[in-house]
Amino acid sequence: MEIRKFRDTDISQIISLFYETVYTINKKDYSPEQLDAWAPKDELELKLKTWKQLMKLNITYVAEINGKIVGFSDMTHEGHLDRLYIHKDFQRQGIASTLLNILESEARRLGLVEMETEASITARPFFERQRYRITQSQTVERRGIELVNFKMSKQLLS
């Protein structure tokens, strides 16, 4: 596995990975209506444009195996972990932990003392294992559909 910085040419694979992962991995915790609100198929073109810009602005890494993107994650320069998704066929292989560790190291390098994220029901146990704590359970609305997630944070030690 190779971890490298995001390149513009990665965006199509990243968007495909996002949709596949949400609709397969998250379906155990969210209804079909909630999945459609989270990852609306009619926003594909919009996501290609907006995510590419955001990932260039953020600190973004991808995990690749044999030229195939199997995971990606990005963080703002203020320490907000925005996205962390692992390909549906590569779950539980340490890819998410590796990407998160790299972003936590980047956050420390920037002098940040805390990272925070909004974790899905599905991702919550992973973040808890990484010593993130829930600061707030929340219900967010997307396209008129309510989704539960968790604001979580972690104190970064030098």
Side-chain angles (χ1 to χ4, degrees):
M1 177 173 67
E2 177 192 354
I3 305 290
R4 60 169 174 76
K5 291 214 171 204
F6 169 79
R7 296 189 289 247
D8 285 1
T9 53
D10 298 332
I11 197 63
S12 292
Q13 274 193 77
I14 282 174
I15 297 296
S16 292
L17 185 156
F18 163 74
Y19 277 97
E20 282 182 35
T21 301
V22 167
Y23 279 95
T24 57
I25 301 302
N26 298 98
K27 73 179 179 184
K28 70 183 176 88
D29 296 308
Y30 295 92
S31 71
E33 295 77 26
Q34 289 172 316
L35 297 175
D36 287 340
W38 181 352
K41 293 187 173 115
D42 63 351
E43 286 185 3
L44 180 64
E45 289 303 315
L46 178 66
K47 278 197 187 329
L48 283 167
K49 270 189 264 192
T50 57
W51 279 27
K52 182 164 87 175
Q53 290 306 98
L54 287 169
M55 290 184 177
K56 283 167 44 172
L57 288 172
N58 288 347
I59 300 165
T60 307
Y61 285 93
V62 299
E64 210 174 44
I65 295 176
N66 298 326
K68 176 184 176 128
I69 294 176
V70 296
F72 68 94
S73 189
D74 68 317
M75 173 186 78
T76 68
H77 291 268
E78 295 74 39
H80 178 77
L81 179 69
D82 201 359
R83 287 167 280 256
L84 174 59
Y85 288 91
I86 306 305
H87 190 285
K88 65 182 178 62
D89 298 332
F90 291 85
Q91 299 277 312
R92 298 192 176 276
Q93 295 182 25
I95 299 167
S97 300
T98 300
L99 287 166
L100 186 59
N101 288 338
I102 289 169
L103 288 176
E104 288 177 0
S105 293
E106 290 279 341
R108 285 185 195 91
R109 191 181 58 74
L110 290 170
L112 301 175
V113 295
E114 182 180 67
M115 278 182 61
E116 46 94 24
T117 194
E118 294 179 37
S120 67
I121 295 167
T122 315
R124 175 184 165 181
F126 165 78
F127 283 105
E128 288 175 330
R129 286 192 301 275
Q130 304 299 317
R131 299 191 327 269
Y132 281 71
R133 61 179 176 78
I134 296 172
T135 56
Q136 181 183 342
S137 174
Q138 62 182 9
T139 302
V140 295
E141 190 176 307
R142 300 272 187 271
R143 295 183 158 214
I145 304 290
E146 292 186 343
L147 298 149
V148 171
N149 71 15
F150 304 92
K151 285 189 176 189
M152 300 182 81
S153 67
K154 178 179 182 176
Q155 297 299 308
L156 300 173
L157 306 173
S158 301

